[in-house]
Amino acid sequence: MGNFIIAKIIARSVLSRFATRLYPFEKRAPYAATRGHIENEISRCIMCGICQKKCPTHAITVVRAERNWAIEPMKCIQCGECVTACPVKCLSMANTYSAASPTKETILLHQETPPPKPGAAKQEA
Ligand code: SF4
Ligand code: SF4
């Protein structure tokens, strides 16, 4: 009787689908609302520094004089505070995770030219 029960359990396990995926060969598609990592459309950033002030983990550094915006992904907890607070909405939460890294890297984005001031295009026209 005992052997029969064990055989039944083994047969059920062999014939049923895997409960897990063979990661990294088989990856689950990210959900639309997955909080993966922060992206900055740097050409639209006004270097106001609000995201730096709002970030609870001090992951963001803004150096206005040098037009540099930097983030330390390992410090980011994907809370989304910076995205909500950004006045020009150049920050977004991408739904894919950052690649694993053996080092605590900093992603530095440099802005070559500041974005045009609101209303500047209308005045030129
Ligand atoms: S998502 Fe949160 S933790 Fe990450 S950079 Fe923005 S404010 Fe900081
Ligand atoms: S809040 Fe937005 S506009 Fe201001 S520095 Fe951060 S990313 Fe740039």
Side-chain angles (χ1 to χ4, degrees):
M1 187 66 184
N3 283 349
F4 176 71
I5 293 170
I6 290 171
K8 217 168 109 179
I9 292 170
I10 291 171
R12 196 168 47 207
S13 299
V14 168
L15 297 174
S16 60
R17 288 183 57 209
F18 291 119
T20 55
R21 287 177 180 75
L22 290 174
Y23 186 87
F25 307 107
E26 193 186 329
K27 294 177 186 168
R28 181 198 283 263
Y31 297 109
T34 296
R35 293 179 173 203
H37 68 276
I38 293 292
E39 287 187 349
N40 189 355
E41 198 182 330
I42 194 67
S43 61
R44 294 177 51 224
C45 176
I46 56 173
M47 299 288 160
C48 64
I50 291 174
C51 53
Q52 178 180 328
K53 287 190 191 114
K54 290 281 183 181
C55 180
T57 61
H58 309 291
I60 296 175
T61 306
V62 181
V63 183
R64 189 188 175 102
E66 295 172 14
R67 311 212 72 76
N68 284 341
W69 183 95
I71 186 166
E72 293 173 73
M74 292 291 278
K75 282 188 181 175
C76 176
I77 55 170
Q78 282 85 33
C79 67
E81 274 299 306
C82 55
V83 176
T84 307
C86 177
V88 294
K89 301 297 172 211
C90 61
L91 291 178
S92 59
M93 185 73 80
N95 71 348
T96 53
Y97 295 112
S98 307
S101 167
T103 53
K104 289 183 182 177
E105 61 175 4
T106 298
I107 296 170
L108 173 67
L109 301 180
H110 176 69
Q111 187 181 62
E112 291 299 331
T113 50
K117 290 199 167 66
K122 278 185 200 162
Q123 286 169 8
E124 284 171 15

